[in-house]
Amino acid sequence: PAAFVDDHPNQPALFGIPVEASSHYDFSKPFRFVVAIGDSGIRAEKYALLIRRGGVPTTVIHPTAYVSMGAIVGPGSVIFSHAHLDPEVKIGGNSIINIAGVVGHETTIGEHSHVSGNAVIGGNCSIGNRVWVGLGASIRQGLTIGDDAFISMGAIIVSDVPSNYKAISPHRKEALILPRH
């Protein structure tokens, strides 16, 4: 990358690449971008802002990730090291599949969603937009997770999770599903 752009930079460079305040960045020239923010809602807002400013979303796939030839990864998405995307997986734009995340065959993940490290999503699932799947969570095959759902770290999901709900499973065999707000 030519630069990291941050709303509130706290260092002048990262890995030798300059960090610029967003208020000072020249958005008038053509630029490609990836939004590297974990929070799905904030990532969606920044993505839309950068599109409006003329940016072109760039997809980044780590060389150790396995992405099946039949998988589709949307623009601006990031697939981290050792992630695994099975055949016929569809990842929406501006989404993150983090380190060693596994997405089973024929699963669709909506836009602006985040699958955390070591999370496993079974085959033939439908994951909505702006969904957060926490570290080490497991989602059984064939399930639907609605938009803006939150799946906690280590949750074991064995039934559908509606939109705007959170699923938590501390010290339980399966997740407790509660309204998100």
Side-chain angles (χ1 to χ4, degrees):
F4 290 104
V5 180
D6 194 332
D7 288 346
H8 307 286
N10 60 7
Q11 58 193 35
L14 181 64
F15 307 118
I17 299 166
V19 178
E20 299 184 30
S22 57
S23 59
H24 297 110
Y25 188 76
D26 180 9
F27 288 103
S28 65
K29 58 186 176 186
F31 64 95
R32 297 183 311 152
F33 72 90
V34 170
V35 181
I37 298 172
D39 181 286
S40 297
I42 295 171
R43 193 170 61 259
E45 290 173 16
K46 296 296 182 183
Y47 184 84
L49 172 69
L50 293 170
I51 294 285
R52 286 193 307 273
R53 290 186 170 177
V56 177
T58 299
T59 300
V60 176
I61 300 174
H62 193 277
T64 65
Y66 171 78
V67 178
S68 170
M69 286 179 32
I72 298 170
V73 179
S77 292
V78 180
I79 311 301
F80 279 85
S81 65
H82 304 289
H84 185 104
L85 306 183
D86 274 350
E88 298 186 46
V89 163
K90 293 178 183 152
I91 307 295
N94 194 36
S95 290
I96 296 171
I97 309 300
N98 222 315
I99 298 169
V102 175
V103 182
H105 61 89
E106 301 168 277
T107 289
T108 299
I109 295 179
E111 294 185 344
H112 318 294
S113 291
H114 186 141
V115 176
S116 297
N118 291 313
V120 177
I121 299 172
N124 202 30
C125 287
S126 177
I127 311 296
N129 297 311
R130 297 169 307 279
V131 171
W132 176 274
V133 179
L135 289 166
S138 296
I139 299 174
R140 193 193 77 206
Q141 73 279 358
L143 295 182
T144 297
I145 309 297
D147 293 344
D148 300 297
F150 179 90
I151 309 300
S152 75
M153 177 176 72
I156 299 170
I157 307 301
V158 297
S159 61
D160 293 344
V161 176
S163 294
N164 295 303
Y165 271 67
K166 60 183 173 181
I168 57 174
S169 60
H171 313 294
R172 298 173 56 93
K173 285 188 173 186
E174 61 186 65
L176 177 63
I177 300 172
L178 305 166
R180 187 160 180 188
H181 303 292

